[in-house]
Amino acid sequence: MRLIKLWIAAIMLVGSSIAGAADGVAILNAQCSDCHNLTGPAPATLQELWSRKGPDLFYAGNKYKAAWLEAWLQKPVRIRPAGMFFADHVKPGADGDEIDAATLTAHPALFAPESNAVTAALMALKGNPDLITGGAYTQGNLSLSSGEMLFDKFKGCLACHEIEPGYGGLSGPEVFTAAQRLQEDWLVSFLRNPHAWDPMVFMPNKHLNDADIRKIIDYFRLLSEEVAQ
Ligand code: HEC
Ligand code: HEC
């Protein structure tokens, strides 16, 4: 019995030292590059856009928060309610379009040591550095209701983005987790000019001014605080 326990301990030690040496770049190239663009540039034609299987990751280090990446890669949950291309995953229902869940596949998950290594490799991908200004966002004090007025009534963002599970448009990523996922400096830059990051993105440039951009980022923070409760 004692011997078996020793053996198990020895095997676990070997296992963890192999995992400890997980090579994030090698995992990205072997397991992720079929679906994700790791080198840039972003799709510049409709054909390239249609062949995109997952979000571009060549500027991951300028876009995502590392803590979120590391956790999500171990337990991926859906961010775009209808996948990459809305039209591929909706069917007509009694109350308008419904998501055809059977056509959506689960994202591959990583174990903790691999996720840690892959997160480090992703955070080193710093595409489009010239579009980022460090410290571009400073927190304001907005109320949830004025944030929603801006996001829905004034700017029409709700048509494509969910502000809570099951409420909002289905063609873009949910925004109630945006504050956990996305760096504020990236949000400032993307909201100012989405097409500088992703020339073919199906998101209109609403020409938000600096005050609106700050309010929208404040709003995302308030939304994520609400969802976390
Ligand atoms: C079969 C295609 C496929 C493979 C393989 C794949 N992904 Fe993804 N990935 C996707 C899709 C599709 C999404 C969008 C998921 C969503 O919105 O719910 C996604 C989302 C992501 C996101 C979140 C990005 C964002 O902006 O929402 C990260 C990070 C990510 N993948 C990393 C990885 C890593 C690391 C690997 C390799 C270990 C990998 N993916 C393998 C298709 C894939
Ligand atoms: C016509 C639909 C549409 C409208 C209207 C729209 N968006 Fe988007 N938005 C998108 C799509 C599509 C994406 C990118 C999808 C992707 O990365 O796969 C996106 C991406 C985003 C992202 C990045 C999210 C992420 O997780 O990567 C933010 C933030 C965002 N939009 C905010 C807004 C705001 C604020 C407004 C209103 C001013 C708005 N959107 C209006 C469709 C829309």
Side-chain angles (χ1 to χ4, degrees):
M1 190 63 197
R2 214 193 154 95
L3 201 67
I4 292 175
K5 273 192 187 157
L6 271 175
W7 266 109
I8 291 175
I11 290 168
M12 283 172 68
L13 259 180
V14 171
S16 68
S17 67
I18 290 173
D23 180 341
V25 175
I27 296 173
L28 278 179
N29 288 330
Q31 298 176 33
C32 321
S33 60
D34 272 0
C35 297
H36 293 286
N37 180 348
L38 301 171
T39 53
T45 64
L46 271 180
Q47 275 94 326
E48 285 169 14
L49 182 77
W50 293 126
S51 62
R52 177 153 71 187
K53 296 189 200 146
D56 289 355
L57 295 179
F58 66 89
Y59 47 86
N62 283 330
K63 176 173 180 182
Y64 304 107
K65 293 186 175 169
W68 172 80
L69 269 182
E70 191 166 351
W72 188 86
L73 289 171
Q74 294 171 66
K75 215 175 161 216
V77 284
R78 195 158 293 292
I79 299 164
R80 291 159 190 74
M84 288 304 286
F85 295 109
F86 171 76
D88 293 348
H89 301 287
V90 289
K91 56 182 179 184
D95 305 315
D97 287 341
E98 277 173 16
I99 293 172
D100 189 358
T103 64
L104 289 167
T105 47
H107 194 273
L110 298 175
F111 290 111
E114 286 79 15
S115 173
N116 181 281
V118 166
T119 296
L122 284 173
M123 292 309 289
L125 299 180
K126 300 271 193 188
N128 294 343
D130 46 320
L131 297 179
I132 292 281
T133 309
Y137 164 75
T138 45
Q139 189 171 315
N141 57 359
L142 185 85
S143 71
L144 202 53
S145 57
S146 43
E148 188 169 331
M149 283 287 277
L150 180 67
F151 195 80
D152 178 9
K153 299 275 178 310
F154 297 140
K155 300 296 175 190
C157 319
L158 188 66
C160 300
H161 294 283
E162 285 189 332
I163 56 169
E164 60 181 62
Y167 184 61
L170 302 176
S171 58
E174 64 190 29
V175 294
F176 52 90
T177 55
Q180 290 145 35
R181 293 186 284 113
L182 306 171
Q183 295 177 29
E184 284 75 15
D185 291 340
W186 180 81
L187 280 167
V188 168
S189 175
F190 180 81
L191 291 173
R192 188 167 291 142
N193 186 1
H195 300 97
W197 289 91
D198 197 355
M200 302 307 288
V201 71
F202 291 136
M203 168 157 152
N205 184 342
K206 300 271 184 175
H207 301 286
L208 302 173
N209 62 33
D210 289 353
D212 288 340
I213 289 174
R214 174 168 147 172
K215 283 180 192 160
I216 282 173
I217 301 173
D218 284 344
Y219 177 56
F220 290 164
R221 177 176 44 80
L222 294 173
L223 281 179
S224 72
E225 285 166 10
E226 238 207 357
V227 170
Q229 273 166 15

